[in-house]
Amino acid sequence: MTFGFRGWDIHIGTPHPFNDRAPEIDNGTARPDPSRFYDPAFKAAEWERMWTKTWLLAAVAADLREPGDFVRFDIMTESFIVVRDTDNKFKAHYNVCPHRGSRIALSEFGTVDQFTCPFHSWQFALDGTNVKITDQETFDPDVLCHGTDLTSVRCESAAGLVFISMDPDAPPLAEWLGPVADHIELYDPASMNVIHHKRSEWAANWKGGVDAFYELYHLHSVHPQTQCVMDDRTQIDVYPNGMSRQFVPFAQPSPRFPDQETVNPGIQMMLADAGIDPATFDGTARDSRAAIQAAKRKRAADYGLDYDRFSDTQLSDSTIYGIFPNVQIGCHPEALFIHRFLPHPTDPERFTYDNIILFRHLDAPGYRAPAWMGLSEDVDTTGMIRPDVVHVPLGVAPELGEVLDQDSELLPIVQQGAHSRGFKGPLWSYQEGRLRHFHAELDRHLGDAV
């Protein structure tokens, strides 16, 4: 018997090397113990052996355009300041004053000439060097010899994304990301602006969030409304270091959906995204995906956009990437949808779902972020004003659109089931190959720690 779904050819249009499948990686068939989703000891091992040893997405370059621009990045009990220095390079420091341990950057982002500790007003240059100690003459010089600068960590960027690592021995970022960095660079995220940023608290382990977003297998059950506009047949590619890719075909019904002809309201919305007037479109649902690809190429030619670097699939569909350990990015030529799954500092059964939308502004008819991203009509897409981070507490609907709100309701139910004596661990299909790849990489870091 043949297993898998590599026979699903989901691409249409001109063949393109971007769509080529990656070599397979054998991650075995083991069934991991479900305690990884709730055990405090497993959480502690993740911190010591994985979070502190890998590269973590800390900021987007769009938030750090000028010297002095900074972003605060919090992970577990640590906090970091990520800043563009006066030499136009990205730097990152532990967000803690060497004097008494006070946090220094209290706001989530901003622009400064230097950092000032709110406790005793010690001051630090953007590169972390101490430039002023209040009443320095009252300190014994032998005390200050222990060190008065901020403690820095490694900070590197790729594809408009800024990463930090607490591990001085971590491999270079480009090596860590592998081909995923070049793929995402095609979309030029550095030229986009943040137009949406929301953080909501979910009652589940952070890995449950990764697992839910890393597969399409649940769409027909949890999100049946998507079946008229999304084909849940897919292509999955996995790469070294836990990285992965998945194609999500848009603007055509799933084979599970009974009506393959009608241009339903969801497909009409996607036609409009490409600048096609749905009222004048004379094709069927089977024709809409190719029509969107053609329309976007024409619009790119009309407005001087370089879409030659994209395959036809990239124009109509969502190409999503998993960046180990805790990031997923949905890529479109017009916008990127970034998900971060941030563990709770103390509770293994809570996480923060951090969601950022990057958009490249263009004054052209119908040009906008894909409607599925759920932006409201009043969102400023010009990029002139960076929106504040919206915080949604646990128990409150995140209002991220129907699909994501459904996920937020389901994950606590899955989390509860992980405790059951009747559940022995996940049984992953090939459609869930990204999940197995992610957990195999996690286990590689943890080794015999749990």
Side-chain angles (χ1 to χ4, degrees):
M1 183 175 181
T2 300
F3 301 98
F5 56 98
R6 302 211 29 119
W8 287 356
D9 184 6
I10 55 97
H11 302 287
I12 65 171
T14 305
H16 194 284
F18 180 85
N19 303 339
D20 291 348
R21 294 181 183 273
E24 292 195 51
I25 295 177
D26 184 0
N27 288 307
T29 58
R31 188 181 195 181
D33 191 288
S35 62
R36 66 181 50 218
F37 294 103
Y38 57 79
D39 183 7
F42 197 96
K43 176 182 175 65
E46 287 178 337
W47 177 248
E48 294 298 331
R49 296 203 177 193
M50 188 272 291
W51 293 111
T52 60
K53 303 297 183 183
T54 55
W55 286 99
L56 306 175
L57 177 60
V60 293
D63 280 336
L64 303 168
R65 296 198 184 281
E66 302 293 335
D69 289 351
F70 76 91
V71 170
R72 196 189 78 220
F73 170 59
D74 299 335
I75 182 78
M76 294 281 280
T77 57
E78 288 291 3
S79 181
F80 300 90
I81 303 169
V82 185
V83 63
R84 186 182 284 272
D85 197 2
T86 52
D87 61 3
N88 268 318
K89 294 181 179 179
F90 298 120
K91 303 288 176 61
H93 321 290
Y94 283 98
N95 183 20
V96 59
C97 182
H99 173 218
R100 292 272 294 279
S102 172
R103 291 283 187 248
I104 294 174
L106 304 183
S107 59
E108 291 169 312
F109 58 88
T111 303
V112 295
D113 294 325
Q114 61 189 14
F115 297 105
T116 301
C117 176
F119 200 177
H120 299 94
S121 66
W122 283 30
Q123 295 178 355
F124 306 88
L126 301 181
D127 67 359
T129 303
N130 180 278
V131 294
K132 180 184 176 183
I133 296 174
T134 306
D135 300 337
Q136 183 170 348
E137 69 277 5
T138 66
F139 285 84
D140 187 317
D142 288 342
V143 171
L144 299 180
C145 282
H146 291 292
T148 60
D149 296 339
L150 300 181
T151 301
S152 300
V153 296
R154 292 177 64 186
C155 185
E156 298 180 20
S157 64
L161 308 173
V162 184
F163 294 76
I164 65 103
S165 179
M166 293 172 262
D167 182 6
D169 298 321
L173 177 63
E175 179 182 326
W176 172 252
L177 295 175
V180 166
D182 291 335
H183 288 197
I184 297 175
E185 178 61 42
L186 289 172
Y187 297 88
D188 191 17
S191 70
M192 299 181 178
N193 299 302
V194 176
I195 61 171
H196 163 94
H197 195 171
K198 183 176 282 190
R199 292 184 180 134
S200 52
E201 301 297 318
W202 292 23
N205 184 268
W206 70 276
K207 295 183 292 298
V210 171
D211 288 353
F213 284 75
Y214 267 29
E215 49 94 351
L216 305 184
Y217 187 32
H218 71 284
L219 294 185
H220 69 281
S221 179
V222 181
H223 314 300
Q225 72 275 21
T226 66
Q227 298 295 276
C228 65
V229 295
M230 292 173 59
D231 189 342
D232 44 12
R233 294 174 300 177
T234 187
Q235 175 181 320
I236 290 173
D237 298 294
V238 295
Y239 306 97
N241 301 322
M243 311 300 165
S244 63
R245 175 177 73 167
Q246 185 163 15
F247 290 97
V248 184
F250 279 171
Q252 67 183 36
S254 164
R256 306 177 196 268
F257 193 69
D259 184 355
Q260 297 286 312
E261 300 295 325
T262 302
V263 181
N264 57 65
I267 291 180
Q268 292 175 23
M269 179 179 66
M270 293 179 175
L271 289 168
D273 284 347
I276 300 172
D277 183 355
T280 63
F281 181 66
D282 59 2
T284 70
R286 296 180 185 274
D287 306 316
S288 58
R289 193 168 167 220
I292 286 172
Q293 294 171 356
K296 285 194 176 182
R297 290 214 182 274
K298 182 180 184 305
R299 184 167 65 190
D302 291 343
Y303 288 89
L305 302 176
D306 178 17
Y307 277 18
D308 289 344
R309 65 187 188 274
F310 297 122
S311 71
D312 289 333
T313 294
Q314 290 173 272
L315 301 186
S316 59
D317 305 346
S318 184
T319 310
I320 56 180
Y321 288 91
I323 299 179
F324 188 87
N326 67 323
V327 175
Q328 173 155 292
I329 304 179
C331 298
H332 298 256
E334 302 80 19
L336 265 61
F337 196 86
I338 300 176
H339 320 253
R340 283 190 297 186
F341 307 92
L342 301 169
H344 189 272
T346 59
D347 188 349
E349 300 193 71
R350 286 177 60 183
F351 77 94
T352 298
Y353 172 63
D354 184 83
N355 162 234
I356 299 172
I357 296 177
L358 292 171
F359 177 67
R360 179 181 296 102
H361 179 70
L362 178 70
D363 188 11
Y367 187 92
R368 60 195 181 198
W372 71 264
M373 293 185 179
L375 292 171
S376 61
E377 293 293 330
D378 60 350
V379 169
D380 177 13
T381 61
T382 65
M384 297 297 293
I385 299 176
R386 205 284 189 193
D388 290 334
V389 182
V390 176
H391 293 266
V392 182
L394 188 67
V396 177
E399 297 185 355
L400 291 163
E402 185 178 25
V403 170
L404 293 178
D405 283 0
Q406 288 170 331
D407 286 326
S408 73
E409 294 169 357
L410 176 68
L411 283 185
I413 298 172
V414 178
Q415 182 66 32
Q416 292 167 6
H419 288 273
S420 173
R421 294 181 181 182
F423 181 60
K424 308 302 182 183
L427 301 170
W428 291 309
S429 70
Y430 281 96
Q431 293 184 76
E432 298 156 297
R434 295 177 66 209
L435 281 67
R436 183 176 292 283
H437 188 59
F438 159 76
H439 283 272
E441 180 68 14
L442 176 61
D443 289 344
R444 184 177 72 82
H445 283 273
L446 268 57
D448 60 358
V450 294

